[in-house]
Amino acid sequence: MKKTFNLKKFLSNNAIIILIAALALIVGFTTDNFFSGSNLKNLIINVSPRFIIACGVSGCLITKGTDLSAGRQVGLAACLSAMLLQSVDYAARMLPGLPDIPVFVALLIVLVIMAVFGAINGCVIAFLKVPPFIATLGMQTIVYGLCSVITDNQPMGGYKPSYSKVALGSLGPIPYLALFAILVGLFMLFLYNKTRHGKYMYAIGGNENAAQVAGVNVPATLIRIYVLASVLYALAGFLVGAKAGGASTATGNGYELEAIAACTIGGVSTNGGVGKVGGILIGVLVFEILKICLQFLKVDPAYTYIAQGLVIIVAVALDLRKYLAKK
C-alpha cells in the first residue's frame, strides 16, 4: 500500500530545520555578503570539526547513552597537539626538551591517548552499569582537571607551519578540514550501514535486553562505541587547535551540547535505535547556520547562547514527542 504524504507530520518532524532555513533566506536577502563564497567557506570550515564530534556522540545516543565529556576531550586533544607541535625555536615552548615531531606522528599519539579515555568511559558504562550521563559527566570533570594540570592553565601557541597548514590549507577549492570531515563521514556511513558493529549498535539502542538474548556482546560493543567516539574527539581537537592557532583549557567548552543538539535536529533519537550520518550532517549545518545568521544580524553573543539553548530544548522536546507518538 502506497504511503500518503503527511504534511503536518513532516512540518512537525522538521520544524527546526524549516525555521532556520527560512531565517537563513531572510538574512541572506536583507544583509550583504551572506550568500558569498567567503561565507560559504567559513561555514564549511566551522562545520567540519563539529561534524566529526557529532559523529562520535551519535553512537552514544543511538545506544540510549550520551557523552558529556566530548567537549573537554576535544580541548585536551587540542592541548596535547599544541604541546607536541610547537616550533622547536618557540621561546615559550611547553616541552622545551621535546625533539621535532612529525605532524602525523603527533596525531597518532593524541589518538591513542584519547582512546584510553573512551575505553574508560565504555568500561564504566558496560561493566559497572553507571548511567552514561553520570559516567561521562565525571569524565568531563576529570579530563578538564588533567588538562589544567598538564598545561598549568597557560594558553599555548607558536605552532610549526606544517601543523597550521593542516587547517589553513586546501586542495583546490576544498579546505583540508572539509576533506577530513568527508573521510570521517564516509567511514561512519560504512560502519553504521554495512558492518556487524552498526547492526549491533542499533539493536542495543532498540532493546538492549533483546540484543543480549540474540547474542550481541553488549559490553564489547559499548566499549567500541565510546573508544571510537574519543578517537573522533581527538581528531576534532587536533583540527580545532590547528584552526585556532592556539589551545587552552577553554578549548572545546560546550561542544558536547552543540553535538547532541545537532544529532537530535538531524534525527538521531535520544531514545535510542535511530540515526543516520546524513541527518547528523544536516543537524550540524542547521546549528552553524543559526549562529552565522545571528552574527549577520549583529545579535549580542549573550543572546546567541540563549537562542542555541532554546534550540537544544526544542530539538529534544520534538524528539520525545515523536517517541511518545510511536508508543
Side-chain angles (χ1 to χ4, degrees):
M1 186 177 177
K2 192 176 180 180
K3 290 184 178 180
T4 56
F5 178 71
N6 189 325
L7 179 61
K8 184 178 178 181
K9 186 178 179 181
F10 175 80
L11 293 174
S12 175
N13 290 345
N14 299 281
I16 293 177
I17 296 173
I18 294 167
L19 286 172
I20 294 179
L23 175 63
L25 289 173
I26 293 168
V27 173
F29 288 116
T30 56
T31 62
D32 296 328
N33 299 320
F34 185 83
F35 294 124
S36 65
S38 61
N39 193 37
L40 176 61
K41 185 176 181 180
N42 182 51
L43 174 65
I44 292 170
I45 288 172
N46 286 334
V47 161
S48 296
R50 285 171 169 81
F51 171 66
I52 294 170
I53 298 166
C55 283
V57 171
S58 67
C60 308
L61 293 174
I62 289 170
T63 52
K64 293 185 180 178
T66 190
D67 194 346
L68 298 181
S69 67
R72 292 302 185 188
Q73 288 197 53
V74 169
L76 178 58
C79 288
L80 290 172
S81 301
M83 294 171 74
L84 294 171
L85 292 170
Q86 288 178 308
S87 295
V88 291
D89 57 353
Y90 183 59
R93 200 175 185 213
M94 187 63 68
L95 301 173
L98 190 72
D100 187 36
I101 296 178
V103 173
F104 182 69
V105 174
L107 174 58
L108 287 178
I109 292 170
V110 173
L111 293 177
V112 171
I113 292 172
M114 298 312 300
V116 173
F117 292 99
I120 294 170
N121 268 339
C123 288
V124 169
I125 292 164
F127 297 123
L128 300 182
K129 303 300 180 184
V130 176
F133 179 89
I134 301 299
T136 58
L137 180 62
M139 182 58 74
Q140 178 193 77
T141 310
I142 291 168
V143 169
Y144 178 64
L146 286 172
C147 192
S148 299
V149 169
I150 65 171
T151 63
D152 197 26
N153 286 314
Q154 298 297 316
M156 289 174 288
Y159 297 158
K160 58 183 186 179
S162 56
Y163 179 36
S164 300
K165 190 179 178 182
V166 170
L168 303 177
S170 61
L171 182 65
I174 306 173
Y176 287 153
L177 284 173
L179 293 176
F180 278 102
I182 290 168
L183 289 173
V184 168
L186 292 174
F187 170 75
M188 299 302 284
L189 269 172
F190 176 77
L191 184 71
Y192 282 11
N193 299 313
K194 301 295 182 181
T195 67
R196 188 176 297 175
H197 172 81
K199 293 176 182 177
Y200 288 175
M201 178 183 69
Y202 286 109
I204 292 169
N207 189 320
E208 183 175 328
N209 292 330
Q212 187 106 42
V213 170
V216 174
N217 189 333
V218 173
T221 304
L222 289 174
I223 292 169
R224 284 196 298 268
I225 287 168
Y226 282 90
V227 168
L228 175 60
S230 289
V231 167
L232 292 175
Y233 306 151
L235 175 59
F238 177 85
L239 298 175
V240 166
K243 172 178 172 286
S248 70
T249 53
T251 303
N253 185 29
Y255 279 19
E256 69 280 352
L257 299 180
E258 290 185 17
I260 292 168
C263 286
T264 307
I265 292 168
V268 179
S269 177
T270 54
N271 294 292
V274 178
K276 295 181 179 179
V277 175
I280 297 166
L281 177 59
I282 291 170
V284 175
L285 279 168
V286 165
F287 212 75
E288 286 303 309
I289 288 170
L290 169 64
K291 289 193 283 187
I292 291 174
C293 286
L294 295 176
Q295 288 171 5
F296 269 81
L297 293 173
K298 297 179 180 178
V299 175
D300 187 292
Y303 291 103
T304 299
Y305 283 113
I306 293 171
Q308 291 173 2
L310 288 172
V311 167
I312 292 170
I313 293 169
V314 171
V316 175
L318 289 173
D319 176 57
L320 288 172
R321 188 165 176 258
K322 285 187 283 185
Y323 173 74
L324 292 171
K326 291 178 182 177
K327 292 187 73 175

